């Protein structure tokens, strides 16, 4: 007891005197012989007793001081202790090493050094530590509360009642930032228990992963207390979380798990929805996975400054305000849907990532792919009438099809050989391709085998770490038990072909109509069919399902045949007989159960088109209607076919009354629009084509008018209505533009916003696009006054819609202004919106080039936001001159992007794809559209 109190006094003393007696850990940077990117395996942490004192009273000196007692076991004899430290000042005079349960003997420390490349802090010892013994290492440290939005950092908000800035502290440790908050073994496989003490002013609240055990007064620091939390379950360092704040919370009632939703006090009325659905989702997952949530409490908290969408810290989930807070009559139904999806994602992580954690970041998809897929099932449980299962499946597949068709994509599971490479893996591949592959696996195995495999995987690995082979073993057992695959197959062979190699297959179906046979083969799909790459030998174990015009069996999507792979990844073509007669179409990949595109011979496309452009288009399942649209648009984009087939097919959309095919079509057509709008003549014909197919459906849904309340129509019908209105206004259809401007001017004149909530994003953008400076300034003022994060996001996007180049130039300056009119977390999205406006593209491009040093400083060296700005600009570049400018920038500032080479390569590839598409298609597409117009 005495030793503990002495330590607590020393931390408060460090705070009081400003840490003047400390030495910095970076004072000795002599290189060590050990330079491997992973920690040595000689030590295993068992328990961290972590004490952090945080003072938030002086905004000019927001600091924290801490001390950690690290109990560890020696797995093999070693003469050093190597752990992670980043940007911490270590008081080396207070470092102590003792054998566990022997406080009388201090072990001799020879010296300590830093290996900056890997953030190693290496303590050299006078004598080796003995295998199987337990030791306690004590380290004292300090650092500023940083402004980088990771590690242990500061956030703030303005108290509207007093107009004063209120400060809070919060953590964001994923993937490797715990080391910047306390010395630790900062790798996911080093799970340990944590006892956390937070020192803070007694007027504030402290939160951490576990429930509060007690508070103790600090005699040496009047007005301060220690909040002491219960010992945690074993967890990885990236899941540790704590905060000091003045927030309020809404309780979700009396449950087995204490569930609370926290926000700044002025936003408490926006917590109801999250507080309602959180416990429902938690219970759904408990039942689905057969394992109870292992903690006694779960807090979810909305942070004003937060870079990620949310973070799944065990027991203390952190969110952006936009992904947790819902304001009735201000937030839209799409906001509600987004919030439900993010909460479902983070709660799924409590099992996939927290309970069972990947051994190393190479298998990040075991966390993110699972959480993405399970969140789809969770939201469908909450609101089956939203029809989100199909939409989410299609959205994931669209994302994968676009990203993974780049040469510079990467496998789902890929070696990571430096901490700096980890951040780039939080991308479409880990999230969406991981989810899409799991959906495919679900379809292959069926409901029972799939979930029994998951339960088995979780049970045998709980509170531990796993890799993807552990998952395949669990699924193979169940697949054989339920006879879902033949005994000669195993899930590792099948699934490794999807997770260990880049890309996805294009399945080619060529029919011989005279012999009633067809040949089926596969190759990798690329966004440019003429690209020369060594990918011809790639092969995927591809599950084939199909139906015909006669059978129309879309209810069953069982795998009927496999495209198999020989050893050495050689493709095996297959021939099938008598599947369809010559007058009927055949369609593969029922309900898009597999992650592949399909290309048919010309006659089969004609047969499919004939059905779609008839009153029998509903004979084809809605998911497969969307699939056909996506396939033909992408096949034409990549040069696998000409544009005749997609233009013929898309005519049927005039009668399509379902949201999903329209959503898919407009996603694909937006890519054409993005590039073609720079060429007035072909774009004129293209925009007329769009108006021709959109206008009938826009009118049938009553345009932008609010004659039907959102609560009186289904969620999916509302989204369809808003999608068509968005494009109608974009294409300057008079009814839409006039309605939007009228709504906006009524608001501006009365200061009472009666614009229907779900159409506000469309109305604001259209009114600003067709308005003047006073309209823009009116909306800018509303942004500064708004207390609702979801509304602020809508306003930020709308302000980029102006056609006034001077205003847009000013807006870019305001985005990055140090006065933080727009929070750092929203700046990249705001800049991206300005880039996509052709009026301001060149201004935004030049801003990136001319202010690259300031932007690098603004975001910090480890932020991905700088590459987000680059990607936004790259997406709009269509000529060699601009490509050369970007390449010159990247050459001059290679150090700024060295940790994000994959993102840089993708940006450059996007530009080359844009240029290639223009040269191949601009003139030809104009010719097709002119010919089609003259024949109408």
């Amino acid at each position: 007891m005495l030793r503990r109190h002495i330590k607590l006094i020393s931390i408060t003393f460090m705070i009081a005197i400003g840490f003047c007696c400390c030495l910095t850990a970076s004072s000795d940077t002599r290189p060590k012989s050990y330079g491997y990117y992973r920690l040595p395996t000689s030590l295993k942490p068992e328990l961290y007793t972590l004490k952090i004192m945080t003072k938030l009273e002086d905004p000019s000196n927001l600091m924290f001081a801490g001390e950690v007692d690290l109990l560890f076991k020696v797995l093999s004899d070693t003469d050093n202790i190597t752990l992670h430290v980043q940007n911490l000042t270590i008081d080396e005079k207070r470092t102590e090493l003792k054998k566990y349960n022997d406080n009388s003997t201090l072990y001799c420390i020879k010296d300590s050094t830093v290996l900056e490349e890997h953030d190693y802090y290496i303590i050299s010892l006078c004598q080796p530590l003995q295998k199987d013994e337990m030791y306690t290492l004590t380290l004292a440290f300090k650092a500023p509360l940083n402004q980088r939005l990771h590690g242990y950092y500061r956030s703030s908000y303005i108290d509207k009642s007093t107009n004063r800035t209120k400060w809070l502290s919060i953590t964001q440790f994923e993937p490797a930032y715990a080391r910047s908050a306390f010395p630790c073994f900062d790798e996911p496989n080093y799970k340990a228990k944590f006892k956390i003490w937070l020192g803070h002013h007694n007027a504030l609240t402290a939160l951490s992963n576990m429930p509060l055990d007690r508070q103790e007064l600090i005699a040496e620091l009047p007005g301060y207390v220690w909040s002491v939390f219960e010992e945690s379950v074993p967890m990885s360092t990236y899941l540790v979380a704590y905060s000091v704040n003045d927030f309020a919370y809404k309780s979700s009632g009396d449950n087995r798990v204490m569930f609370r939703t926290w926000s700044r006090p002025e936003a408490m009325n926006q917590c109801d929805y999250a507080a309602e659905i959180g416990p429902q989702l938690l219970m759904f997952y408990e039942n689905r996975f057969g394992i109870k949530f292992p903690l006694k409490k779960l807090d979810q908290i909305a942070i004003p400054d937060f870079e990620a969408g949310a973070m799944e810290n065990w027991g203390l989930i952190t969110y952006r305000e936009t992904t947790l807070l819902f304001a009735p009559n201000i937030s839209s139904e799409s906001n509600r849907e987004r919030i439900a999806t993010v909460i479902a994602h983070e709660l799924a992580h409590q099992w996939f990532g927290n309970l069972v954690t990947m051994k190393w970041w190479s298998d990040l998809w075991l966390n993110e792919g699972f959480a993405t897929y399970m969140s789809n099932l969770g939201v469908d449980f909450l609101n089956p009438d939203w029809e989100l299962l199909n939409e989410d499946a299609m959205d994931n597949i669209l994302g994968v099809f676009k990203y993974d068709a780049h040469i510079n994509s990467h496998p789902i599971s890929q070696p990571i050989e430096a901490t700096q490479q980890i951040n780039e893996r939080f991308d479409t591949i880990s999230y969406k391709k991981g989810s899409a592959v799991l959906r495919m696996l679900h379809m292959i195995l069926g409901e029972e085998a799939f979930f029994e495999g998951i339960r088995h995987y979780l049970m045998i690995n709980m509170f531990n770490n796993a890799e993807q082979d552990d998952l395949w073993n669990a699924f193979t057992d169940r697949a054989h038990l339920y006879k879902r695959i033949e005994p000669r197959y195993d899930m590792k062979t099948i699934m490794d072909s999807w997770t260990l190699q880049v890309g996805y297959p294009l399945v080619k179906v060529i029919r011989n109509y005279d012999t009633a046979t067809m040949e089926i083969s596969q190759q990798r799909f690329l966004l440019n069919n003429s690209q020369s790459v060594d990918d011809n030998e790639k092969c995927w174990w591809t599950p084939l399902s199909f139906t015909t015009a006669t059978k129309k069996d879309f209810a069953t999507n069982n795998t009927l045949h496999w495209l198999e792979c020989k050893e050495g990844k050689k493709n095996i073509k297959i021939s099938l007989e008598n599947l369809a007669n010559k007058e009927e179409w055949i369609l593969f990949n029922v309900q898009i159960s597999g992650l592949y595109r399909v290309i048919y011979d010309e006659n089969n496309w004609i047969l499919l088109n004939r059905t779609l452009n008839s009153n029998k288009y509903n004979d084809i399942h809605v998911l497969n209607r969307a699939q056909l649209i996506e396939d033909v648009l992408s096949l034409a984009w990549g040069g696998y076919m000409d544009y005749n087939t997609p233009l013929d097919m898309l005519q049927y959309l005039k009668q399509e009354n379902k949201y999903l095919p329209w959503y898919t079509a407009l996603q694909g057509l937006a890519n054409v629009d993005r590039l073609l709008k720079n060429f007035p003549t072909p774009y004129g014909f293209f925009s007329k084509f769009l108006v021709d197919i959109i206008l009938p459906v826009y009118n049938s849904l009553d345009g932008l008018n609010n004659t039907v309340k959102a609560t009186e129509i289904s969620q999916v019908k509302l989204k369809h209505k808003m999608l068509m209105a968005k494009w109608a206004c974009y294409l300057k259809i008079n009814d839409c533009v006039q309605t939007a401007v009228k709504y906006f001017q009524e608001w501006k004149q009365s200061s009472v916003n009666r614009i229907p909530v779900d159409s506000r994003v469309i109305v604001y953008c259209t009114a600003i696009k067709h308005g003047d400076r006073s309209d823009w300034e009116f909306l800018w003022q509303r942004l500064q006054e708004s207390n609702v994060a979801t509304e602020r996001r809508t306003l930020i996007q709308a302000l980029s819609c102006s056609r006034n180049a001077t205003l847009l130039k000013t807006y870019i300056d305001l985005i990055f202004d140090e006065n933080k009119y727009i929070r750092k977390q929203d700046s990249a999205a705001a800049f991206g919106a300005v880039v996509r406006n052709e009026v301001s593209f060149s201004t935004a491009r030049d801003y990136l080039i001319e202010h690259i040093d300031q932007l690098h400083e603004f975001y910090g060296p480890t932020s991905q936001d700088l590459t987000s700005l680059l990607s936004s600009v790259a997406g709009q570049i269509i000529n060699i001159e601009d490509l050369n400018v970007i390449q010159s920038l990247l050459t001059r500032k290679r150090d700024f992007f060295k940790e994000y080479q994959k993102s840089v390569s993708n940006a450059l590839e996007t530009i080359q794809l844009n240029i290639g598409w223009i040269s191949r298609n601009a003139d030809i597409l104009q010719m097709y559209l002119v010919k089609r117009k003259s024949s109408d």
Side-chain angles (χ1 to χ4, degrees):
M1 289 294 289
L2 177 63
R3 180 169 176 265
R4 184 190 72 193
H5 284 295
I6 290 173
K7 287 184 177 180
L8 299 187
I9 291 170
S10 65
I11 295 176
T12 57
F13 183 67
M14 288 171 69
I15 282 278
I17 66 173
F19 313 98
C20 62
C21 64
C22 299
L23 303 175
T24 87
S26 57
S27 60
D28 185 347
T29 57
R30 289 171 292 165
K32 283 291 181 180
S33 58
Y34 185 81
Y36 189 55
Y37 69 97
R38 298 286 301 275
L39 287 170
T41 57
S42 52
L43 307 178
K44 180 181 180 297
E46 300 286 345
L47 173 66
Y48 294 82
T49 301
L50 178 62
K51 305 177 181 74
I52 301 287
M53 170 63 70
T54 306
K55 295 191 74 175
L56 298 173
E57 288 72 35
D58 181 4
S60 65
N61 187 34
L62 298 179
M63 304 281 289
F64 68 92
E67 186 172 84
V68 62
D69 282 351
L70 176 50
L71 174 65
F72 62 89
K73 182 177 182 179
V74 180
L75 302 182
S76 60
D77 292 358
T78 179
D79 62 359
N80 73 81
I81 300 170
T82 300
L83 64 165
H84 288 114
V85 170
Q86 182 188 74
N87 298 329
L88 293 175
T89 301
I90 306 293
D91 183 357
E92 296 183 330
K93 291 185 292 185
R94 297 178 54 212
T95 302
E96 293 180 354
L97 177 64
K98 298 178 181 179
K99 185 174 284 190
Y100 182 55
N101 286 335
D102 180 7
N103 289 331
S104 60
T105 307
L106 286 175
Y107 275 70
C108 172
I109 294 174
K110 189 185 301 181
D111 63 28
S112 59
T113 60
V114 169
L115 190 61
E116 290 182 346
E117 181 184 1
H118 301 301
D119 299 324
Y120 289 158
Y121 184 68
I122 304 168
I123 301 172
S124 299
L125 307 174
C126 302
Q127 62 190 76
L129 302 179
Q130 302 300 309
K131 181 182 177 181
D132 295 330
E133 295 288 349
M134 302 276 283
Y135 296 86
T136 300
L137 174 67
T138 300
L139 292 167
F141 52 91
K142 64 149 187 176
L145 281 170
N146 74 73
Q147 301 179 66
R148 301 297 192 195
L149 306 186
H150 58 68
Y152 189 35
Y153 72 93
R154 68 184 75 176
S155 178
S156 66
Y157 68 93
I158 303 295
D159 184 335
K160 299 289 185 182
S161 63
T162 62
N163 203 33
R164 290 178 54 202
T165 299
K166 295 289 189 75
W167 292 94
L168 62 137
S169 65
I170 189 65
T171 57
Q172 170 58 33
F173 290 162
E174 190 180 37
Y177 298 121
R179 64 191 66 180
S180 68
F182 60 96
C184 57
F185 295 85
D186 200 13
E187 293 180 9
N189 56 314
Y190 285 104
K191 287 192 170 184
K193 295 181 178 181
F194 289 81
K195 290 181 180 178
I196 293 177
W197 297 53
L198 296 180
H200 58 92
H201 195 280
N202 61 14
L204 301 176
T205 298
L207 297 171
S208 188
N209 304 84
M210 304 302 290
L212 181 68
D213 179 45
R214 66 186 186 279
Q215 282 192 331
E216 296 183 3
L217 296 175
I218 303 176
E220 300 77 21
L221 205 57
Y224 274 72
V225 295
W226 287 103
S227 289
V228 185
F229 297 89
E230 294 179 12
E231 183 175 292
S232 77
V233 295
M235 59 185 182
S236 304
T237 49
Y238 79 87
L239 293 170
V240 173
Y242 42 87
S243 173
V244 175
N245 57 69
D246 70 340
F247 282 11
Y249 70 88
K250 181 178 179 61
S251 173
S252 294
D254 296 326
N255 301 298
R256 182 183 61 83
V257 177
M258 180 175 68
F259 204 108
R260 300 177 297 186
T261 303
W262 297 77
S263 77
R264 51 190 170 83
E266 291 172 344
M268 274 308 299
N269 60 345
Q270 302 172 40
C271 291
D272 291 355
Y273 181 61
E276 174 192 346
I277 66 171
Q280 296 176 41
L281 286 163
L282 196 70
M283 190 177 300
F284 167 75
Y285 290 137
E286 287 184 329
N287 294 334
R288 212 73 174 97
F289 306 144
I291 299 173
K292 294 293 185 183
F293 179 68
L295 307 186
K296 292 186 288 187
K297 71 96 177 173
L298 200 159
D299 291 313
Q300 45 186 11
I301 182 170
I303 306 300
D305 300 283
F306 198 74
E307 188 169 33
M311 177 59 207
E312 65 267 19
N313 315 299
W314 228 348
L316 179 57
I317 305 176
T318 44
Y319 296 81
R320 275 196 190 192
E321 289 193 344
T322 53
T323 58
L324 188 70
L325 304 182
F326 182 87
N329 302 317
I330 298 177
S331 302
S332 67
E333 287 304 299
S334 63
N335 294 145
R336 185 193 301 274
E337 190 177 289
R338 169 69 174 157
I339 289 166
T341 300
V342 174
I343 292 175
H345 181 103
E346 302 311 321
L347 290 177
H349 267 309
Q350 307 304 298
W351 286 263
F352 298 97
N354 298 13
L355 185 68
V356 179
T357 312
M358 75 264 144
K359 287 183 179 177
W360 180 239
W361 297 102
S362 300
D363 281 330
L364 173 65
W365 81 276
L366 291 177
N367 286 14
E368 300 301 347
F370 260 110
T372 301
Y373 185 56
M374 292 304 161
S375 70
N376 299 342
L377 304 182
V379 175
D380 186 64
F381 159 76
L382 282 179
N383 296 287
D385 56 311
W386 285 2
E387 301 179 31
L388 269 185
L389 269 186
N390 285 347
E391 184 186 333
D392 284 337
M394 197 70 216
D395 187 63
N396 285 333
I397 289 167
L398 288 173
V400 174
F401 278 173
K402 180 179 179 181
Y403 189 101
D404 210 23
H406 283 81
I407 291 175
N408 289 298
S409 183
H410 64 88
I412 292 177
S413 181
Q414 183 183 27
I416 290 176
E417 298 178 347
T419 304
Q420 294 78 11
Q421 297 173 359
I422 301 171
N423 275 323
E424 279 199 306
R425 293 298 182 268
F426 288 81
D427 64 2
T428 295
I429 299 301
S430 294
Y431 287 75
K432 293 191 173 185
K433 189 175 183 182
S435 173
V437 163
L438 286 169
R439 178 179 180 270
M440 179 171 66
L441 184 60
H442 193 171
M443 299 289 190
I444 293 169
L445 294 177
E447 192 78 357
E448 287 183 298
F450 181 71
F451 277 102
E452 280 200 21
I454 283 176
R455 293 181 196 110
H456 180 66
Y457 165 77
L458 291 173
M459 284 296 295
I460 64 175
N461 294 295
M462 60 193 304
F463 297 112
N464 216 320
N465 299 79
E467 52 194 356
Q468 68 173 24
D469 281 0
D470 298 312
L471 188 66
W472 305 150
N473 290 337
F475 280 132
T476 297
D477 291 344
R478 270 55 190 178
H480 289 155
L481 179 65
Y482 285 90
K483 298 184 168 67
R484 299 296 296 190
I485 60 173
E486 296 180 29
R488 63 192 178 98
Y489 294 159
D490 67 85
M491 296 313 300
K492 175 174 170 55
T493 301
I494 292 170
M495 298 310 297
D496 276 358
S497 73
W498 294 94
T499 61
L500 297 183
Q501 64 180 342
V502 68
Y504 58 88
L506 171 64
V507 171
K508 301 175 71 174
V509 179
I510 308 299
R511 297 174 62 179
N512 185 320
Y513 294 86
D514 294 328
T515 62
T517 60
M518 63 185 67
E519 186 177 81
I520 304 174
S521 60
Q522 61 172 303
Q523 67 182 71
R524 184 184 175 190
F525 179 86
L526 291 167
L527 286 172
N528 183 348
N529 188 30
S530 63
Q531 286 174 308
S532 176
V533 292
D534 188 22
D535 271 344
N536 292 328
E537 298 305 318
K538 287 196 180 299
C539 179
W540 292 263
W541 281 73
T542 307
L544 300 177
S545 57
F546 52 84
T547 191
T548 66
T550 301
K551 293 180 180 176
K552 295 189 282 287
D553 180 11
F554 290 94
T556 346
N557 47 39
N558 291 342
T559 299
L560 303 173
H561 295 278
W562 285 91
L563 278 179
E564 299 182 16
C565 306
K566 293 180 183 176
E567 288 186 16
K569 298 182 179 178
K570 298 284 187 179
N571 293 317
I572 300 176
K573 296 180 180 179
I574 63 172
S575 294
L576 301 176
E577 299 179 352
N578 300 318
L579 297 185
N581 64 54
K582 64 171 62 177
E583 294 84 16
E584 66 174 345
W585 49 258
I586 190 165
L587 188 149
F588 276 77
N589 205 8
V590 174
Q591 292 194 48
I592 327 180
S593 52
L595 188 61
Y596 56 90
R597 297 190 189 280
V598 185
I599 186 168
Y600 303 98
D601 58 85
E602 183 179 358
N603 194 55
N604 198 67
W605 283 121
I606 291 171
L607 293 170
L608 286 163
N609 255 341
R610 191 175 297 160
T611 296
L612 282 177
N613 280 285
S614 74
N615 59 6
K616 295 183 178 179
Y617 72 94
N618 271 311
D619 283 357
I620 299 175
H621 190 279
V622 64
L623 263 174
N624 287 108
R625 301 203 298 273
Q627 171 215 15
L628 289 170
I629 291 168
E630 161 60 14
D631 280 351
V632 293
L633 281 172
S634 297
L635 289 165
W637 179 279
Y640 295 84
M641 63 165 58
D642 62 36
Y643 270 93
N644 271 332
T645 298
L647 292 177
D648 282 344
M649 184 177 289
L650 294 178
Q651 293 295 324
Y652 107 90
L653 286 170
K654 296 175 186 177
Q655 60 181 337
E656 176 61 77
N657 61 5
K658 294 292 186 182
Y659 170 71
L660 200 55
W662 267 110
Y663 171 75
T664 306
L666 291 173
Q667 287 275 87
L669 290 169
N671 287 325
V672 178
D673 182 90
R674 169 173 57 91
L675 300 185
L676 210 58
K677 68 184 177 185
N678 297 282
F679 301 88
T681 302
Y683 186 68
F685 289 103
F686 178 67
S687 60
K688 288 176 183 175
F689 168 78
L690 291 178
V691 170
D692 183 52
I693 61 173
I694 285 171
L695 188 57
V697 182
Y698 169 77
N699 288 332
S700 73
L701 293 168
D702 198 26
L704 193 57
N705 293 311
N706 191 38
T707 54
V708 180
K709 293 181 179 179
T711 54
E712 296 175 2
I713 62 174
S714 69
Q715 180 96 334
V716 69
K717 182 67 75 174
L718 177 64
K719 284 195 288 191
H720 194 189
K721 177 182 172 74
M722 291 302 105
L723 177 66
M724 305 316 292
K726 172 187 171 183
W727 275 84
C729 281
Y730 173 73
L731 294 166
K732 302 177 186 176
I733 291 174
N734 282 336
D735 174 75
C736 192
V737 173
Q738 290 172 5
T739 303
V741 171
K742 181 173 179 288
Y743 271 135
F744 189 85
Q745 292 304 322
E746 287 175 352
W747 175 33
K748 188 178 172 184
Q749 291 161 18
S750 69
S751 294
V752 178
N753 193 345
R754 294 190 176 89
I755 302 170
V757 171
D758 296 281
S759 63
R760 286 180 183 177
V761 64
I762 303 167
V763 170
Y764 296 171
C765 181
T766 305
I768 293 299
K769 185 176 182 179
H770 296 274
D772 57 23
R773 176 181 287 272
S774 70
D775 296 321
W776 195 94
E777 290 175 346
F778 172 79
L779 209 62
W780 174 258
Q781 189 59 36
R782 300 290 80 74
L783 173 64
Q784 304 313 309
E785 295 170 355
S786 175
N787 182 47
V788 178
T790 53
E791 180 184 44
R792 288 181 57 84
R793 184 172 60 181
T794 298
L795 293 167
I796 287 168
Q797 294 292 315
L799 286 163
S800 72
C801 297
S802 174
R803 311 298 291 176
N804 184 319
T806 304
L807 267 179
L808 290 166
K809 186 176 187 303
T810 301
Y811 188 37
I812 296 174
D813 290 331
L814 290 168
I815 289 171
F816 300 106
D817 192 287
E818 63 182 12
N819 291 312
K820 296 184 179 178
Y821 300 112
I822 292 173
R823 290 183 184 270
K824 184 185 293 187
Q825 66 197 22
D826 300 317
S827 58
F831 181 81
V834 177
V835 168
R836 290 189 294 273
N837 185 336
E838 63 271 26
V839 172
S840 51
F841 164 69
S842 59
T843 302
R845 176 203 60 206
D846 293 345
Y847 186 94
L848 174 65
I849 294 165
E850 294 165 10
H851 294 80
I852 188 70
D853 292 325
Q854 297 95 311
L855 291 168
H856 184 258
E857 175 63 26
F858 180 78
Y859 287 119
T862 60
S863 172
Q864 284 185 282
D865 282 331
L866 194 63
T867 57
S868 295
L869 306 189
L870 174 68
S871 298
S872 296
V873 170
Q876 306 303 312
I877 291 178
I878 58 169
N879 58 61
I880 296 292
E881 293 76 17
D882 280 346
L883 171 59
N884 291 337
V885 168
I886 294 300
Q887 286 179 321
S888 174
L889 170 71
L890 293 171
T891 300
R892 286 187 293 108
K893 300 298 180 181
R894 61 172 60 90
D895 286 351
F896 290 2
F897 298 97
K898 64 183 178 182
E899 295 178 7
Y900 300 101
Q901 285 305 306
K902 183 64 69 177
S903 300
V904 169
S905 298
N906 272 328
L908 292 173
E909 185 180 348
T910 295
I911 298 173
Q912 291 160 347
L913 288 167
N914 290 348
I915 295 170
W917 187 90
I918 289 291
S919 65
R920 292 193 315 273
N921 294 296
D923 293 337
I924 294 173
L925 195 54
Q926 177 180 332
M927 194 164 52
Y928 288 156
L929 290 165
V930 171
K931 182 180 178 182
R932 183 171 301 279
K933 192 69 179 173
S934 62
S935 64
D936 286 347

